[in-house]
Amino acid sequence: MFLSSSEGYPLTKLNKPADWNNLAVMDKKHVPKVKAPDTVKSGEPFKVQLKVGGIDDVEQPNVLSHYINWVELYAGEHPIGKIDFAPVMSNGYNVKISITLEESTTLRARAFCNLHGLWEEPREKVTVE
Ligand SMILES: [Fe+2]
């Protein structure tokens, strides 16, 4: 099966903004942002916020024909969690999860839009003391 959207965003390709300092509307709708403390204590839980889209208030639609399927969080290359969204019934794409780290790493999120495929944000460094 050939997976492709009609707007030039193949479902099989990882999408990233071409210019992080000048985001296109599609970037603003789809890029998942990770918000975490810069420094945490080893083994102590802390909260990580994952928000998909909404950059400059440009929101991703949430209808049956166009929505964010899921967002994943990674510590380095290790998957930590995945949240699935139901279209229409989910109230936006903004979640918090609690995690613990034993060593410094980078956090990153990936999100999947049913029409525009996979999107990733730049990595967020977390230092463990
Ligand atoms: Fe989309």
Side-chain angles (χ1 to χ4, degrees):
M1 179 156 90
F2 181 69
L3 299 173
S4 175
S5 75
S6 60
E7 299 173 52
Y9 293 91
L11 295 179
T12 54
K13 174 180 161 257
L14 176 61
N15 297 295
K16 294 181 180 180
D19 181 358
W20 285 99
N21 296 315
N22 187 21
L23 296 176
V25 169
M26 290 295 279
D27 303 328
K28 293 177 180 180
K29 285 182 180 180
H30 294 94
V31 169
K33 299 293 291 177
V34 174
K35 198 181 284 186
D38 293 333
T39 304
V40 299
K41 293 194 184 311
S42 179
E44 285 193 10
F46 65 95
K47 292 223 179 348
V48 177
Q49 180 184 26
L50 304 173
K51 185 174 188 322
V52 183
I55 298 171
D56 295 337
D57 295 325
V58 181
E59 300 290 345
Q60 162 76 5
N62 188 6
V63 294
L64 281 173
S65 60
H66 187 193
Y67 66 101
I68 297 295
N69 292 112
W70 48 259
V71 61
E72 292 177 324
L73 178 66
Y74 291 82
E77 300 303 317
H78 186 79
I80 295 181
K82 179 178 180 181
I83 294 100
D84 292 307
F85 298 106
V88 181
M89 293 188 292
S90 65
N91 184 18
Y93 313 108
N94 190 357
V95 296
K96 284 185 182 173
I97 62 175
S98 182
I99 70 170
T100 59
L101 295 174
E102 300 289 326
E103 56 189 50
S104 299
T105 189
T106 50
L107 298 176
R108 66 184 167 99
R110 285 185 165 189
F112 189 83
C113 168
N114 71 315
L115 280 185
H116 303 111
L118 190 60
W119 295 75
E120 186 176 281
E121 79 133 7
R123 294 166 185 234
E124 186 84 18
K125 176 99 172 125
V126 177
T127 301
V128 175
E129 295 181 330

